[in-house]
Every structure is written in structure tokens, then in C-alpha cells.
Amino acid sequence: MATRDLARRTATDLSALLATDSRAGFAWQQRMWQIAACLSADASDDEALRTARARFEGLYAPGRDFADFHLWRPDPGERAAANARLDALIARLRDLLHMPPVTLRRARHGDAGRVAAIWHAGWRDGHLGHVPDELVAARTAENFHTRAAARVTDATVAEVGGVVGGFVMVVGDEVEQVFVDASFRGGGVADALLAEAERLVAANGHAVAWLAVVPGNTRARRFYERSGWADDGAFDYVASSVTVPCLRYVKRVGP
Ligand SMILES: CC(C)(COP(=O)(O)OP(=O)(O)OC[C@H]1O[C@@H](n2cnc3c(N)ncnc32)[C@H](O)[C@@H]1OP(=O)(O)O)[C@@H](O)C(=O)NCCC(=O)NCCS
């Protein structure tokens, strides 16, 4: 099947998923409708794909805060399934539209807003239901904006077509943060970031890198294990004065 037809079919599935959302009307949803519409419009293949690609990039333009880039369902299980489907469809569209490859660079002050948005939404994806309520209460949007503003220059960001899709922070031998925007997951952005984090730990003079992950964050654990990291046992991590039961994952990164 031609790329245009596959992209059109994916766009149709995406439209159907958006149409069932009970909290419609967000700016990002309207953008998605536009992307779907230009793939279905009566235009040449080249023109339709080019317009869709430009709109897709616009969705992630710097300075836009898409922390609400999630579908809503009252039932938590249905909500997780709808969002997993949303991520998969967006990732497929991204592949079909030949979005450009991942590049890495040191973060700049101007990245703080985008880093905060990815951090906040990603933190909720990986931690809600798996950490004490006091920590959830402390992790407000403002908390992420403050920490991102203070820490942004410690980060390495991954860009896809000029759009920041994720970031890592390394401190000494610890990989402190690995966060990828939901619609960039499953596309190699996380692999590029983790490989860079491992390189940075080795460059800091350490043979073994470590990180903390909560036991319930199964997607992250699967990703780390696939990348050669091993579970080194349970320990307590103190975050914002809250004790959080975690697993310590380790990987040898140097001689
Ligand atoms: C953790 C994270 C960086 C990984 O990046 P990613 O692009 O999602 O990683 P990938 O899709 O390449 O790999 C995830 C693996 O988990 C699997 N997976 C996907 N959804 C899953 C789920 N709900 N439960 C368990 N495993 C899942 C994938 O199939 C894949 O495994 P596979 O390669 O064997 O198929 C990203 O998911 C993220 O930013 N999550 C939110 C923030 C977070 O939790 N960060 C880590 C804090 S310690």
C-alpha cells in the first residue's frame, strides 16, 4: 500500500479515537484533526504528505505546552489503553511521514518550558499509582517548571526535526532523569538518550552507571532491561522529603 494510503488509514483511526474523547476541544486535538484532514483531502500525494509533516512539526513547536496531550476516560484501565493506542498511532504516523532522525545537544535556557512539559506529563505516566500520595501532591506543574528552569543546563535533549522529543540528566554516576514525550515513544528517541547518558557517566570517570525506578513503572523497566540494565535490588529514594520505595538498576559502562 502507498505511504499516502497508509498514512490516510492511520489518520482515520486517529480521528476515530479523538472522536470518542469526552474532553474534546484542546488545541493539540484540533491540530491532530487538521493533520488527519490534510491526509484525507483531495491533494496530490506529495502535497498532502508535505502539509501533514509541516503541521505535525508545528504541533511540537518550541514554547508550546502540551502537558494535556492525553485522552480522558473516567476508567483508569480504559484511559491507559486509549493513550497507548494514541501513542502507537502517532508513532506510526511519524514513521510514515518520514520524520527526520534524532539528534542530541546540550539543553539551553530556552528549552526549560518544553523540558518542564515533557517532565511533568512523563512523570505522571510513569509514577501515578506507584508512589506515595504526598509525592504526587508535591509534583505540581509549577514544581516541574521551577526544577526545569534551575536544572535545564544539566540536561541533554533529543531533537527530531528541530523539535525537542525528550531529555536526560546525568549527575556523577547517576542517570537522574530519562523522559520522552508520549508521541515520540517507541521511536528510538529513548535509546539515543540513554546511550548518551551512559557515555556521560563513563566520561565522568565511573565504570558503573545507576538509576532509580519505581517497581510499578513497567514500561521504563522493560526499556532499561532491553538496553542491558539489570535490577540490583530494592532501596528507598528520598524525593522532596518523601521516601519512595524504588529499584536500583545498574549497567557497566566502562572498564
Ligand atoms: C521510559 C521511557 C523513556 C522509555 O522510552 P520508550 O520510547 O517508551 O521506550 P521503548 O518503547 O523503546 O521501550 C519500552 C518497552 O516497554 C514495552 N512497553 C510498552 N508499553 C508498556 C507497558 N504499558 N507495560 C510494560 N511494557 C511496555 C515496549 O514494548 C518496549 O519493550 P520491547 O522493546 O520489548 O517491545 C518512556 O516510556 C518515558 O518517557 N516514560 C515516562 C517517563 C518515565 O517513566 N521515565 C523513566 C523514569 S525512571
Side-chain angles (χ1 to χ4, degrees):
M1 197 185 279
T3 303
R4 167 84 185 276
D5 293 330
L6 276 172
R8 191 187 317 213
R9 203 166 71 186
T10 309
T12 306
D13 291 349
L14 189 59
S15 304
L17 185 66
L18 291 173
T20 60
D21 196 32
S22 52
R23 288 191 185 172
F26 288 114
W28 71 267
Q29 292 171 329
Q30 282 156 9
R31 287 273 188 149
M32 285 294 175
W33 283 111
Q34 288 171 354
I35 291 166
C38 60
L39 286 168
S40 313
D42 188 14
S44 72
D45 287 358
D46 263 9
E47 197 185 332
L49 292 170
R50 205 176 45 243
T51 319
R53 195 177 298 130
R55 295 222 158 137
F56 208 105
E57 284 170 6
L59 190 59
Y60 299 99
R64 305 215 47 161
D65 182 352
F66 281 106
D68 60 354
F69 200 115
H70 279 76
L71 294 171
W72 172 254
R73 302 283 187 280
D75 176 76
E78 284 176 24
R79 187 157 67 241
N83 280 299
R85 173 106 178 110
L86 176 70
D87 294 351
L89 288 172
I90 293 175
R92 195 188 312 154
L93 211 46
R94 177 171 288 286
D95 277 356
L96 289 166
L97 294 177
H98 297 298
M99 298 304 281
V102 181
T103 56
L104 299 171
R105 65 169 171 81
R106 293 297 292 175
R108 303 185 276 263
H109 287 291
D111 296 313
R114 175 79 178 137
V115 164
I118 295 173
W119 200 353
H120 184 200
W123 188 86
R124 293 179 68 82
D125 289 341
H127 296 85
L128 288 193
H130 309 307
V131 295
D133 291 346
E134 305 96 274
L135 187 61
V136 177
R139 291 288 184 253
T140 58
E142 193 189 348
N143 174 267
F144 284 99
H145 276 95
T146 306
R147 289 194 298 146
R151 299 282 314 277
V152 69
T153 52
D154 296 340
T156 298
V157 294
E159 278 191 344
V160 184
V163 176
V164 172
F167 70 96
V168 281
M169 285 184 198
V170 169
V171 177
D173 58 349
E174 180 185 2
V175 179
E176 250 200 7
Q177 322 290 348
V178 190
F179 284 82
V180 173
D181 179 275
S183 63
F184 287 83
R185 291 180 198 154
V189 171
D191 301 83
L193 285 168
L194 192 59
E196 176 63 5
E198 292 167 14
R199 194 192 66 75
L200 290 170
V201 171
N204 287 344
H206 302 281
V208 175
W210 74 279
L211 59 81
V213 59
V214 293
N217 192 351
T218 45
R219 181 167 191 155
R221 289 176 60 191
R222 175 79 207 109
F223 163 66
Y224 296 137
E225 286 161 16
R226 192 192 73 208
S227 311
W229 289 67
D231 180 352
D232 193 36
F235 78 114
D236 284 340
Y237 197 96
V238 178
S240 294
S241 313
V242 181
T243 301
V244 185
C246 280
L247 297 172
R248 181 183 165 95
Y249 269 55
V250 294
K251 182 177 177 180
R252 177 161 287 278
V253 293

